[in-house]
């Protein structure tokens, strides 16, 4: 007869296996992924929208299926507001890793790594260079 | 005991060499990026002073779970701008590298390369962003 793990113990093992952290990695005054011209622009005087953009990659069986990139997160944020520039951008990196699920028999090591950028999106209203 | 060590030493060495891995990847390319205090009310790249192509790098060496301050993209960006006295980096490329076998022995670094410009006319350009 197979013995089953008590549910609280199983939940505890899964929670213990779920390792992760999030850190703020950069504060940027301005950043853009778009090629635009800047000549005597009053950026402070332009309307802005607060936006968040992310780029996420995964790993399975310890093999990365992609790489998270900051420029893609910036582009995702700019695309949301159809803007050209992010002002006062804060960059966060977060990752978690699930070594074994379920904990009492072989599972699939699975990881997620996300770069998130939040800032004020500004549209310059000019044609790209 | 000695024959056991002799038999498995090559295997152990091979596994160690295989585990001793490294990678470098591009964190992003940015037509414009800055972490410095800049005047956004009169932002003019056309009239900015060109400080040339620069490279900033921050790195750390780690041994047995112990290392110095963890390098960051922002640190490498600051190093690049400080080396040229600029406050904005144009056409920037950021790369992160990790070599070795953490947490036993490893070397980690960030590199940022780009064209440094100085948009501010005063000497306060080297300050940190006040926002």
């Amino acid at each position: 007869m197979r013995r089953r793990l008590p549910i609280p113990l199983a939940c505890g093992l899964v929670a213990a296996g779920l390792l992760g952290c999030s850190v703020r990695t950069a504060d940027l005054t301005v950043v853009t992924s778009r090629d635009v011209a800047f000549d005597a622009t009053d950026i402070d005087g332009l309307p802005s929208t607060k936006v968040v953009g992310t780029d996420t990659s995964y790993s399975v069986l310890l093999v990365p299926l992609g790489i998270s990139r900051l420029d893609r997160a910036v582009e995702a944020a700019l695309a949301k507001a159809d803007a050209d520039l992010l002002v006062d951008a804060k960059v966060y990196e977060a990752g978690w890793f699930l070594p074994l699920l379920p904990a009492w028999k072989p599972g699939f090591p699975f990881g997620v790594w996300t770069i998130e950028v939040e800032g004020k999106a500004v549209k310059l209203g000019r044609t790209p260079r | 005991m000695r024959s056991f060590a002799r038999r498995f030493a090559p295997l152990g060495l091979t596994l160690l060499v295989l585990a001793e891995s490294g990678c470098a990847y591009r964190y992003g390319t940015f037509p414009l990026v800055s972490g410095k205090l800049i005047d956004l009310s009169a932002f003019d790249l056309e009239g900015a002073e060109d400080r040339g192509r620069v490279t900033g790098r921050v790195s750390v060496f780690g041994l047995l779970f112990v290392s110095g301050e963890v390098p960051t993209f922002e640190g490498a960006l600051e190093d690049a701008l400080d080396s040229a006295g600029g406050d904005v980096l144009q056409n920037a490329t950021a790369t992160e590298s990790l070599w070795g076998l953490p947490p036993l022995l490893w070397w980690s670094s960030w590199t940022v390369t780009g064209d440094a410009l100085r948009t501010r006319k005063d000497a306060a350009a080297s300050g940190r962003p006040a926002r």
Side-chain angles (χ1 to χ4, degrees):
Chain A
M1 183 176 170
R2 292 179 61 186
R3 291 183 61 189
R4 290 178 180 271
L5 279 178
I7 290 177
L9 178 59
C11 290
L13 289 172
V14 171
L18 188 64
L19 308 171
C21 67
S22 174
V23 290
R24 184 163 156 176
T25 55
D27 290 322
L28 303 173
T29 322
V30 291
V31 63
T32 185
S33 57
R34 299 184 171 183
D35 202 12
V36 287
F38 298 93
D39 49 343
T41 306
D42 180 8
I43 294 173
D44 273 339
L46 294 172
S48 63
T49 312
K50 190 162 186 176
V51 291
V52 175
T54 60
D55 187 42
T56 302
S57 61
Y58 303 92
S59 65
V60 176
L61 291 172
L62 303 178
V63 177
L65 302 179
I67 295 288
S68 298
R69 289 177 52 151
L70 176 59
D71 54 356
R72 287 199 289 249
V74 170
E75 179 58 33
L78 292 175
K80 283 182 182 173
D82 189 25
D84 302 312
L85 184 70
L86 271 187
V87 178
D88 298 338
K90 296 171 182 61
V91 182
Y92 301 90
E93 290 193 34
W96 58 265
F97 175 59
L98 195 58
L100 291 173
L101 179 66
W104 57 92
K105 57 184 176 181
F108 298 98
F110 181 72
V112 178
W113 174 32
T114 298
I115 296 178
E116 179 182 289
V117 60
E118 67 174 52
K120 293 186 291 182
V122 176
K123 187 171 177 62
L124 298 173
R126 298 210 182 97
T127 52
R129 280 194 297 186
Chain B
M1 183 69 183
R2 187 172 291 172
S3 65
F4 177 85
R6 194 178 299 160
R7 184 181 299 172
F8 288 99
L11 176 63
L13 195 62
T14 306
L15 288 175
L16 188 65
V17 168
L18 286 174
E20 186 77 15
S21 59
C23 68
Y25 79 96
R26 186 167 286 193
Y27 190 63
T29 54
F30 309 96
L32 184 76
V33 62
S34 175
K36 296 286 188 184
L37 180 65
I38 51 180
D39 186 5
L40 293 176
S41 62
F43 195 63
D44 184 12
L45 285 189
E46 305 299 327
E49 185 183 343
D50 186 357
R51 294 298 183 107
R53 190 83 174 160
V54 293
T55 296
R57 183 175 290 113
V58 286
S59 58
V60 69
F61 175 76
L63 178 67
L64 297 178
F65 295 88
V66 179
S67 75
E69 188 180 357
V70 176
T72 62
F73 163 64
E74 192 177 13
L77 174 63
E78 194 172 350
D79 184 55
L81 290 172
D82 286 347
S83 68
D87 52 15
V88 167
L89 213 58
Q90 225 177 358
N91 304 320
T93 302
T95 308
E96 185 180 14
S97 305
L98 176 68
W99 303 98
L101 187 64
L104 302 178
L105 176 70
W106 76 99
W107 181 78
S108 170
S109 78
W110 277 93
T111 305
V112 174
T113 302
D115 302 317
L117 300 175
R118 186 184 178 94
T119 61
R120 289 176 65 104
K121 308 296 184 223
D122 59 348
S126 60
R128 301 290 303 137
R131 296 166 182 279

